[in-house]
Amino acid sequence: MVEKIKQEWFSNVRADILAGIVVALALIPEAIAFSIIAGVDPMVGLYASFCIAVIIAFVGGRPGMISAATGAMALLMVPLVKEHGLNYLLAATILTGVIQVIFGVFKIARFMKFIPRAVMIGFVNSLAILIFMAQVPHFLGISSLTYIFVAITLVIVYVFPRFIKSIPAPLIAIIVLTTISIFSGAELRTVGDLGAITQSLPSFFIPDVPFSFETLKIIFPYSIALAIVGLLESLLTASIVDDMTGTESKKNKESRGQGIANIITGFFGGMAGCAMIGQSVINVKSGGRGRLSTLTAGLFLIFLIIVLGDLVVQIPMPVLVGIMIMVSIGTFDWSSFTYLVKAPKSDAVVMLVTVIIVVATHDLSKGVIAGVILSAIFFVAKISTIKVKERLNDSNKIFEVEGQLFFASVEGFVESFNFSVQNTKIIIDFSKAHIWDDSAVGAIDKVVLKYRENNNNVTIKGLDSASKRLVEKLAIYNQTNPKLSSH
């Protein structure tokens, strides 16, 4: 236990603290922007980012991953805030946390195995595109000086690490260029242009909503959507950070941790949040690996708000834009262009559809769900081809069935037989096949009974144990006076 605490908290102290500082600086404009999207005061997003980051550092299942207020969650909140106001959003945030804890208890993370690699690649690429698109309004068509600051930021971020490895390059860019901007009086947009920052700590309070079934009816649909999207984004981000760091995470613990963080956040005036791939990538690329980096990000964020609020609002937006562009470039899976050429066409289509839907709707869950469904359809189509080979052995007619017999392949199975034969001994051999469902058993009944109508003697053989149990349980061809269902 002591060894585990040392590993997760104190094995990378210096790099974790520096990475956390960089993340905190990058969190501020994001949290303010997401608050504006949701239609609430900027402090709602900032308090959420502080609370969630600090809490998840202790209760999360993935050291080094950053959780805070996110755009995907903010988009879901818009109608609720518009129709019912902030207090209902806070109540929905608490309920979201409760649902996520329940998901964690019931080990919902095991369903991650149903998300194919093509969908994962699509998820990462669409997120990289969304991160870049979110930066465009902050630098495109504003001023020549904005472009210059973005370019200098990118140069610092990519060139400095070759010479200075002890301090994260994004932190150098923020400090140096903010100093230049303040002392030169450069005409640049700043963090303060996004919204006002109140220099105070969040306080505990219970959302002012009626404790009634009516309230539950209002907030439950939003809470279940927030819980699912939040966990989906968190678990996928955890998988990506796992790959980047070569370490494993505890997905079910992460589910419970996200829930606990959202419950507490709702009581402290923050909106629901989840893991952030952009900030998590910044953290990892800046050297952050342990829980200390996540805790530092949350604590330094509130320090910036309360103590350095007047200075923070002067950070030029082009600098933060440059850092986020670096994140989007680093997040995008550039090998996916090769993947499109080399991978099976169905996988390439799944990846493209995932990207297109996420980018078009700005909703990660819709893209991932569409990708999973499309993968399932392609998979069903792929395995629904069934072969029936006919051969004669003495006076017996033998049909060898090869493949998976289920609802999608029964039509081809039935059509493979010639029912015109009479007074013949017929053997249907399932040694190379598997029976999966009621539709398959119904198709076997249909074939057997049709042959028997012409005085044929039909024998079924070669069923594996699972198929045999299913056929014995559901088939009617061995019953007295069997009659096929008309449905």
Side-chain angles (χ1 to χ4, degrees):
M1 184 67 178
V2 174
E3 202 57 44
K4 186 184 175 187
I5 291 170
K6 278 184 182 177
Q7 176 62 33
E8 291 189 347
W9 283 95
F10 306 113
S11 61
N12 189 40
V13 174
R14 188 172 174 282
D16 278 348
I17 290 172
L18 289 171
I21 291 170
V22 174
V23 169
L25 290 161
L27 274 175
I28 289 176
E30 296 274 295
I32 294 172
F34 298 149
S35 300
I36 292 165
I37 289 170
V40 294
D41 186 273
M43 294 311 296
V44 176
L46 289 167
Y47 285 154
S49 296
F50 158 63
C51 290
I52 293 170
V54 169
I55 296 158
I56 209 71
F58 293 95
V59 298
R62 167 70 262 179
M65 190 165 77
I66 306 297
S67 295
T70 64
M73 301 282 268
L75 286 166
L76 295 173
M77 300 169 188
V78 176
L80 179 62
V81 174
K82 204 171 184 180
E83 292 174 31
H84 301 282
L86 176 62
N87 278 289
Y88 277 84
L89 172 60
L90 300 181
T93 295
I94 295 164
L95 183 58
T96 297
V98 172
I99 295 168
Q100 288 179 324
V101 169
I102 293 168
F103 282 166
V105 169
F106 285 99
K107 297 181 168 36
I108 198 78
R110 65 179 180 269
F111 294 111
M112 279 290 291
K113 65 186 177 185
F114 294 111
I115 299 179
R117 183 166 179 263
V119 176
M120 288 284 286
I121 295 171
F123 168 83
V124 170
N125 288 345
S126 56
L127 218 44
I129 294 166
L130 287 181
I131 290 168
F132 180 81
M133 286 170 62
Q135 310 315 310
V136 172
H138 297 301
F139 76 90
L140 198 63
I142 294 173
S143 68
S144 300
L145 194 58
T146 298
Y147 292 124
I148 291 168
F149 265 66
V150 170
I152 294 171
T153 302
L154 289 170
V155 169
I156 292 172
V157 163
Y158 284 109
V159 174
F160 270 52
R162 297 180 185 179
F163 309 102
I164 303 171
K165 297 188 186 296
S166 56
I167 303 171
L171 184 57
I172 295 171
I174 290 168
I175 293 170
V176 171
L177 294 178
T178 300
T179 304
I180 291 171
S181 171
I182 291 170
F183 285 102
S184 67
E187 288 290 320
L188 291 166
R189 287 190 179 180
T190 63
V191 169
D193 293 326
L194 289 181
I197 291 179
T198 307
Q199 292 173 268
S200 63
L201 280 166
S203 55
F204 178 87
F205 70 96
I206 296 170
D208 184 17
V209 297
F211 290 90
S212 65
F213 185 68
E214 276 302 310
T215 301
L216 186 63
K217 272 173 62 180
I218 292 168
I219 65 173
F220 184 75
Y222 293 99
S223 294
I224 195 76
L226 288 166
I228 292 168
V229 170
L231 280 187
L232 192 60
E233 189 167 351
S234 296
L235 296 177
L236 287 171
T237 302
S239 295
I240 290 159
V241 178
D242 288 353
D243 291 341
M244 288 177 71
T245 59
T247 57
E248 287 297 314
S249 59
K250 296 174 182 174
K251 305 293 192 301
N252 291 310
K253 186 179 179 183
E254 184 62 38
S255 301
R256 295 193 299 274
Q258 294 285 337
I260 293 165
N262 279 321
I263 291 169
I264 296 171
T265 297
F267 283 115
F268 280 89
M271 58 203 252
C274 63
M276 306 179 79
I277 191 170
Q279 270 64 23
S280 296
V281 171
I282 289 177
N283 191 41
V284 171
K285 286 188 176 294
S286 299
R289 291 291 183 277
R291 293 181 182 276
L292 189 60
S293 61
T294 310
L295 179 63
T296 302
L299 292 177
F300 196 69
L301 173 64
I302 204 69
F303 172 79
L304 288 170
I305 292 167
I306 295 171
V307 180
L308 303 178
D310 294 335
L311 201 59
V312 166
V313 294
Q314 296 181 67
I315 295 174
M317 279 306 297
V319 180
L320 295 171
V321 165
I323 292 169
M324 295 310 289
I325 289 173
M326 176 270 289
V327 170
S328 66
I329 292 169
T331 302
F332 195 88
D333 185 352
W334 297 98
S335 65
S336 54
F337 291 110
T338 311
Y339 178 85
L340 284 173
V341 177
K342 292 184 176 179
K345 285 187 173 60
S346 57
D347 288 343
V349 169
V350 166
M351 191 200 83
L352 287 173
V353 166
T354 304
V355 170
I356 291 165
I357 291 177
V358 173
V359 172
T361 63
H362 286 230
D363 190 331
L364 295 164
S365 61
K366 284 179 184 170
V368 172
I369 290 167
V372 171
I373 291 171
L374 195 58
S375 292
I377 291 169
F378 283 140
F379 176 72
V380 168
K382 198 178 289 182
I383 67 165
S384 62
T385 303
I386 196 154
K387 295 175 184 174
V388 180
K389 294 176 184 173
E390 182 182 338
R391 65 184 175 86
L392 287 172
N393 184 6
D394 298 330
S395 59
N396 301 332
K397 191 179 280 286
I398 299 174
F399 293 96
E400 291 180 344
V401 184
E402 188 177 329
Q404 310 299 316
L405 189 57
F406 64 113
F407 66 89
S409 59
V410 293
E411 188 177 340
F413 170 74
V414 174
E415 288 174 353
S416 300
F417 292 91
N418 175 15
F419 296 109
S420 62
V421 296
Q422 296 179 349
N423 303 310
T424 305
K425 187 174 181 182
I426 293 170
I427 298 170
I428 305 176
D429 185 359
F430 285 96
S431 299
K432 295 179 181 177
H434 186 85
I435 314 302
W436 285 101
D437 59 9
D438 177 51
S439 298
V441 178
I444 294 170
D445 279 332
K446 188 173 183 179
V447 170
V448 172
L449 296 178
K450 269 184 171 286
Y451 274 126
R452 285 181 180 169
E453 285 174 3
N454 289 338
N455 296 317
N456 295 297
N457 184 348
V458 185
T459 304
I460 301 291
K461 77 166 199 175
L463 291 168
D464 61 44
S465 57
S467 300
K468 190 175 182 181
R469 281 196 302 272
L470 190 64
V471 170
E472 286 175 351
K473 186 178 179 182
L474 299 174
I476 62 165
Y477 64 81
N478 277 335
Q479 294 178 7
T480 307
N481 299 320
K483 187 178 179 183
L484 286 171
S485 169
S486 59
H487 299 290

PDB file of all heavy atoms in Angstrom, residues 10-11 55 57 95 130 171 184-185 238 326 341 343 369 371-372 377 389 436 456 469:
ATOM      1  N   PHE A  10       4.531  10.249  -5.491  1.00  0.00           N
ATOM      2  CA  PHE A  10       5.826  10.880  -5.255  1.00  0.00           C
ATOM      3  C   PHE A  10       6.973  10.333  -6.096  1.00  0.00           C
ATOM      4  O   PHE A  10       8.139  10.567  -5.799  1.00  0.00           O
ATOM      5  CB  PHE A  10       6.175  10.754  -3.761  1.00  0.00           C
ATOM      6  CG  PHE A  10       5.112  11.290  -2.846  1.00  0.00           C
ATOM      7  CD1 PHE A  10       4.390  10.431  -2.021  1.00  0.00           C
ATOM      8  CD2 PHE A  10       4.802  12.640  -2.833  1.00  0.00           C
ATOM      9  CE1 PHE A  10       3.388  10.912  -1.187  1.00  0.00           C
ATOM     10  CE2 PHE A  10       3.803  13.141  -1.995  1.00  0.00           C
ATOM     11  CZ  PHE A  10       3.100  12.278  -1.170  1.00  0.00           C
ATOM     12  N   SER A  11       6.665   9.592  -7.163  1.00  0.00           N
ATOM     13  CA  SER A  11       7.736   9.030  -8.001  1.00  0.00           C
ATOM     14  C   SER A  11       8.205  10.008  -9.080  1.00  0.00           C
ATOM     15  O   SER A  11       9.191   9.758  -9.768  1.00  0.00           O
ATOM     16  CB  SER A  11       7.255   7.739  -8.673  1.00  0.00           C
ATOM     17  OG  SER A  11       6.144   8.006  -9.514  1.00  0.00           O
ATOM     18  N   ILE A  55     -10.532  16.430  -6.528  1.00  0.00           N
ATOM     19  CA  ILE A  55     -11.176  15.207  -6.020  1.00  0.00           C
ATOM     20  C   ILE A  55     -10.718  13.977  -6.798  1.00  0.00           C
ATOM     21  O   ILE A  55     -10.393  12.937  -6.227  1.00  0.00           O
ATOM     22  CB  ILE A  55     -12.714  15.346  -6.075  1.00  0.00           C
ATOM     23  CG1 ILE A  55     -13.169  16.476  -5.143  1.00  0.00           C
ATOM     24  CG2 ILE A  55     -13.407  14.037  -5.665  1.00  0.00           C
ATOM     25  CD1 ILE A  55     -14.532  17.050  -5.479  1.00  0.00           C
ATOM     26  N   ALA A  57      -8.021  13.468  -8.273  1.00  0.00           N
ATOM     27  CA  ALA A  57      -6.629  13.122  -7.959  1.00  0.00           C
ATOM     28  C   ALA A  57      -6.576  12.035  -6.881  1.00  0.00           C
ATOM     29  O   ALA A  57      -5.693  11.175  -6.893  1.00  0.00           O
ATOM     30  CB  ALA A  57      -5.876  14.364  -7.490  1.00  0.00           C
ATOM     31  N   LEU A  95     -27.012  14.413  -9.448  1.00  0.00           N
ATOM     32  CA  LEU A  95     -27.621  13.158  -9.888  1.00  0.00           C
ATOM     33  C   LEU A  95     -26.741  12.444 -10.905  1.00  0.00           C
ATOM     34  O   LEU A  95     -26.646  11.208 -10.907  1.00  0.00           O
ATOM     35  CB  LEU A  95     -29.017  13.431 -10.475  1.00  0.00           C
ATOM     36  CG  LEU A  95     -29.821  12.200 -10.927  1.00  0.00           C
ATOM     37  CD1 LEU A  95     -30.020  11.218  -9.775  1.00  0.00           C
ATOM     38  CD2 LEU A  95     -31.174  12.628 -11.511  1.00  0.00           C
ATOM     39  N   LEU A 130     -11.830  18.910 -33.223  1.00  0.00           N
ATOM     40  CA  LEU A 130     -12.669  19.806 -32.411  1.00  0.00           C
ATOM     41  C   LEU A 130     -11.818  20.763 -31.583  1.00  0.00           C
ATOM     42  O   LEU A 130     -12.161  21.946 -31.439  1.00  0.00           O
ATOM     43  CB  LEU A 130     -13.576  18.996 -31.482  1.00  0.00           C
ATOM     44  CG  LEU A 130     -14.751  18.256 -32.127  1.00  0.00           C
ATOM     45  CD1 LEU A 130     -15.560  17.522 -31.058  1.00  0.00           C
ATOM     46  CD2 LEU A 130     -15.657  19.206 -32.897  1.00  0.00           C
ATOM     47  N   LEU A 171       4.878  26.177 -20.473  1.00  0.00           N
ATOM     48  CA  LEU A 171       4.989  27.098 -19.333  1.00  0.00           C
ATOM     49  C   LEU A 171       5.927  28.251 -19.672  1.00  0.00           C
ATOM     50  O   LEU A 171       5.646  29.421 -19.342  1.00  0.00           O
ATOM     51  CB  LEU A 171       5.497  26.334 -18.101  1.00  0.00           C
ATOM     52  CG  LEU A 171       5.580  27.130 -16.786  1.00  0.00           C
ATOM     53  CD1 LEU A 171       4.227  27.714 -16.418  1.00  0.00           C
ATOM     54  CD2 LEU A 171       6.097  26.242 -15.663  1.00  0.00           C
ATOM     55  N   SER A 184       4.870  45.514 -23.253  1.00  0.00           N
ATOM     56  CA  SER A 184       4.878  46.220 -24.552  1.00  0.00           C
ATOM     57  C   SER A 184       3.539  46.883 -24.842  1.00  0.00           C
ATOM     58  O   SER A 184       3.426  47.681 -25.768  1.00  0.00           O
ATOM     59  CB  SER A 184       5.215  45.237 -25.674  1.00  0.00           C
ATOM     60  OG  SER A 184       4.157  44.290 -25.833  1.00  0.00           O
ATOM     61  N   GLY A 185       2.525  46.515 -24.039  1.00  0.00           N
ATOM     62  CA  GLY A 185       1.182  47.078 -24.268  1.00  0.00           C
ATOM     63  C   GLY A 185       0.577  46.607 -25.576  1.00  0.00           C
ATOM     64  O   GLY A 185      -0.204  47.326 -26.209  1.00  0.00           O
ATOM     65  N   ALA A 238      -8.870   7.637 -20.762  1.00  0.00           N
ATOM     66  CA  ALA A 238      -8.015   6.776 -19.931  1.00  0.00           C
ATOM     67  C   ALA A 238      -7.272   5.762 -20.794  1.00  0.00           C
ATOM     68  O   ALA A 238      -6.070   5.523 -20.597  1.00  0.00           O
ATOM     69  CB  ALA A 238      -8.853   6.056 -18.879  1.00  0.00           C
ATOM     70  N   MET A 326      -0.899  22.864 -30.551  1.00  0.00           N
ATOM     71  CA  MET A 326       0.100  21.807 -30.309  1.00  0.00           C
ATOM     72  C   MET A 326      -0.585  20.539 -29.803  1.00  0.00           C
ATOM     73  O   MET A 326      -0.248  19.428 -30.230  1.00  0.00           O
ATOM     74  CB  MET A 326       1.127  22.299 -29.289  1.00  0.00           C
ATOM     75  CG  MET A 326       2.169  21.285 -28.871  1.00  0.00           C
ATOM     76  SD  MET A 326       1.727  20.273 -27.431  1.00  0.00           S
ATOM     77  CE  MET A 326       1.835  21.441 -26.099  1.00  0.00           C
ATOM     78  N   VAL A 341      -5.881   3.412 -46.048  1.00  0.00           N
ATOM     79  CA  VAL A 341      -5.497   2.665 -47.252  1.00  0.00           C
ATOM     80  C   VAL A 341      -5.350   1.172 -46.955  1.00  0.00           C
ATOM     81  O   VAL A 341      -5.810   0.323 -47.717  1.00  0.00           O
ATOM     82  CB  VAL A 341      -4.177   3.230 -47.833  1.00  0.00           C
ATOM     83  CG1 VAL A 341      -3.738   2.416 -49.041  1.00  0.00           C
ATOM     84  CG2 VAL A 341      -4.345   4.694 -48.200  1.00  0.00           C
ATOM     85  N   ALA A 343      -6.271  -0.650 -43.993  1.00  0.00           N
ATOM     86  CA  ALA A 343      -7.285  -1.357 -43.199  1.00  0.00           C
ATOM     87  C   ALA A 343      -8.417  -1.857 -44.097  1.00  0.00           C
ATOM     88  O   ALA A 343      -8.605  -1.347 -45.215  1.00  0.00           O
ATOM     89  CB  ALA A 343      -7.852  -0.429 -42.133  1.00  0.00           C
ATOM     90  N   ILE A 369     -21.224   6.051 -30.583  1.00  0.00           N
ATOM     91  CA  ILE A 369     -22.353   5.111 -30.671  1.00  0.00           C
ATOM     92  C   ILE A 369     -22.612   4.724 -32.128  1.00  0.00           C
ATOM     93  O   ILE A 369     -22.815   3.547 -32.448  1.00  0.00           O
ATOM     94  CB  ILE A 369     -23.623   5.711 -30.022  1.00  0.00           C
ATOM     95  CG1 ILE A 369     -23.427   5.779 -28.495  1.00  0.00           C
ATOM     96  CG2 ILE A 369     -24.854   4.874 -30.350  1.00  0.00           C
ATOM     97  CD1 ILE A 369     -24.454   6.633 -27.777  1.00  0.00           C
ATOM     98  N   GLY A 371     -20.443   4.757 -34.545  1.00  0.00           N
ATOM     99  CA  GLY A 371     -19.326   3.909 -34.971  1.00  0.00           C
ATOM    100  C   GLY A 371     -19.470   2.474 -34.499  1.00  0.00           C
ATOM    101  O   GLY A 371     -19.227   1.532 -35.256  1.00  0.00           O
ATOM    102  N   VAL A 372     -19.892   2.309 -33.242  1.00  0.00           N
ATOM    103  CA  VAL A 372     -20.075   0.963 -32.683  1.00  0.00           C
ATOM    104  C   VAL A 372     -21.197   0.231 -33.415  1.00  0.00           C
ATOM    105  O   VAL A 372     -21.063  -0.948 -33.772  1.00  0.00           O
ATOM    106  CB  VAL A 372     -20.376   1.033 -31.164  1.00  0.00           C
ATOM    107  CG1 VAL A 372     -20.792  -0.325 -30.629  1.00  0.00           C
ATOM    108  CG2 VAL A 372     -19.145   1.537 -30.405  1.00  0.00           C
ATOM    109  N   ILE A 377     -22.976  -3.762 -37.518  1.00  0.00           N
ATOM    110  CA  ILE A 377     -23.682  -4.093 -38.775  1.00  0.00           C
ATOM    111  C   ILE A 377     -22.715  -4.751 -39.764  1.00  0.00           C
ATOM    112  O   ILE A 377     -23.031  -5.768 -40.386  1.00  0.00           O
ATOM    113  CB  ILE A 377     -24.321  -2.826 -39.389  1.00  0.00           C
ATOM    114  CG1 ILE A 377     -25.488  -2.342 -38.511  1.00  0.00           C
ATOM    115  CG2 ILE A 377     -24.816  -3.101 -40.816  1.00  0.00           C
ATOM    116  CD1 ILE A 377     -26.011  -0.970 -38.877  1.00  0.00           C
ATOM    117  N   LYS A 389     -22.867 -27.255 -48.648  1.00  0.00           N
ATOM    118  CA  LYS A 389     -22.311 -28.087 -49.726  1.00  0.00           C
ATOM    119  C   LYS A 389     -23.095 -29.398 -49.800  1.00  0.00           C
ATOM    120  O   LYS A 389     -23.314 -30.062 -48.791  1.00  0.00           O
ATOM    121  CB  LYS A 389     -20.842 -28.376 -49.465  1.00  0.00           C
ATOM    122  CG  LYS A 389     -19.946 -27.137 -49.526  1.00  0.00           C
ATOM    123  CD  LYS A 389     -18.511 -27.481 -49.161  1.00  0.00           C
ATOM    124  CE  LYS A 389     -17.657 -26.219 -49.143  1.00  0.00           C
ATOM    125  NZ  LYS A 389     -16.299 -26.504 -48.625  1.00  0.00           N
ATOM    126  N   TRP A 436     -27.105 -20.187 -33.258  1.00  0.00           N
ATOM    127  CA  TRP A 436     -27.019 -19.101 -32.288  1.00  0.00           C
ATOM    128  C   TRP A 436     -28.345 -18.690 -31.654  1.00  0.00           C
ATOM    129  O   TRP A 436     -28.370 -18.248 -30.518  1.00  0.00           O
ATOM    130  CB  TRP A 436     -26.381 -17.865 -32.936  1.00  0.00           C
ATOM    131  CG  TRP A 436     -24.907 -17.988 -33.120  1.00  0.00           C
ATOM    132  CD1 TRP A 436     -24.240 -18.283 -34.272  1.00  0.00           C
ATOM    133  CD2 TRP A 436     -23.898 -17.860 -32.114  1.00  0.00           C
ATOM    134  NE1 TRP A 436     -22.886 -18.337 -34.072  1.00  0.00           N
ATOM    135  CE2 TRP A 436     -22.634 -18.074 -32.741  1.00  0.00           C
ATOM    136  CE3 TRP A 436     -23.923 -17.578 -30.745  1.00  0.00           C
ATOM    137  CZ2 TRP A 436     -21.434 -18.016 -32.041  1.00  0.00           C
ATOM    138  CZ3 TRP A 436     -22.710 -17.515 -30.052  1.00  0.00           C
ATOM    139  CH2 TRP A 436     -21.492 -17.735 -30.699  1.00  0.00           C
ATOM    140  N   ASN A 456     -39.148 -37.777 -47.421  1.00  0.00           N
ATOM    141  CA  ASN A 456     -37.708 -37.925 -47.217  1.00  0.00           C
ATOM    142  C   ASN A 456     -37.438 -38.232 -45.740  1.00  0.00           C
ATOM    143  O   ASN A 456     -38.155 -37.759 -44.853  1.00  0.00           O
ATOM    144  CB  ASN A 456     -36.970 -36.639 -47.609  1.00  0.00           C
ATOM    145  CG  ASN A 456     -37.087 -36.336 -49.090  1.00  0.00           C
ATOM    146  OD1 ASN A 456     -36.625 -37.099 -49.924  1.00  0.00           O
ATOM    147  ND2 ASN A 456     -37.754 -35.225 -49.413  1.00  0.00           N
ATOM    148  N   ARG A 469     -28.106 -28.152 -27.331  1.00  0.00           N
ATOM    149  CA  ARG A 469     -29.011 -27.752 -26.246  1.00  0.00           C
ATOM    150  C   ARG A 469     -30.087 -26.802 -26.743  1.00  0.00           C
ATOM    151  O   ARG A 469     -31.260 -26.912 -26.396  1.00  0.00           O
ATOM    152  CB  ARG A 469     -28.214 -27.080 -25.115  1.00  0.00           C
ATOM    153  CG  ARG A 469     -27.496 -28.065 -24.196  1.00  0.00           C
ATOM    154  CD  ARG A 469     -27.063 -27.387 -22.908  1.00  0.00           C
ATOM    155  NE  ARG A 469     -26.184 -26.243 -23.142  1.00  0.00           N
ATOM    156  CZ  ARG A 469     -24.861 -26.346 -23.245  1.00  0.00           C
ATOM    157  NH1 ARG A 469     -24.273 -27.528 -23.147  1.00  0.00           N
ATOM    158  NH2 ARG A 469     -24.122 -25.269 -23.459  1.00  0.00           N
TER     159      ARG A 469
END
